[in-house]
Amino acid sequence: MLTLKIVSPEKVEYEGAIERVVVPGTMGQFEILNDHAPIISTLQRGTVEYVNGEGHTQLEIQGGFVEVQKNVVSLCVELC
């Protein structure tokens, strides 16, 4: 399992365990799964999609950053 934390300037949008997340990277969309290599990347306008125990969730963003380290995915985003 991964831990996902999505933070916007207004509040913490989500924090919890997930199975996977797909983010709109500036070089193209990519998926982050368990044991993903450490990475820091910029994000462009698009949809963040993640799957947790409650199902599939989508979040529209204007852009931001993603960091992955030791199964923790941190997103700092501006929402649409």
Side-chain angles (χ1 to χ4, degrees), residues 6-7 10 12 14 28 34 36 41-42 44 48-49 56 68 79:
I6 303 175
V7 178
E10 294 81 27
V12 175
Y14 178 81
N34 200 39
H36 194 284
S41 179
T42 54
Q44 66 182 5
V48 172
E49 302 176 42
H56 182 264
V68 180
L79 301 177

Side-chain angles (χ1 to χ4, degrees), residues 3-75:
T3 299
L4 175 64
K5 184 172 185 178
I6 303 175
V7 178
S8 73
E10 294 81 27
K11 64 178 182 173
V12 175
E13 299 293 330
Y14 178 81
E15 187 168 10
I18 62 164
E19 295 175 17
R20 63 184 179 89
V21 61
V22 178
V23 295
T26 52
M27 299 296 283
Q29 185 179 43
F30 62 95
E31 183 174 35
I32 300 166
L33 299 169
N34 200 39
D35 295 327
H36 194 284
I39 186 173
I40 295 175
S41 179
T42 54
L43 301 176
Q44 66 182 5
R45 182 183 183 100
T47 304
V48 172
E49 302 176 42
Y50 59 92
V51 176
N52 60 16
E54 299 174 8
H56 182 264
T57 303
Q58 295 184 333
L59 183 66
E60 294 296 320
I61 65 167
Q62 292 279 8
F65 297 91
V66 60
E67 178 186 24
V68 180
Q69 185 125 352
K70 297 181 181 177
N71 289 325
V72 176
V73 181
S74 301
L75 297 176

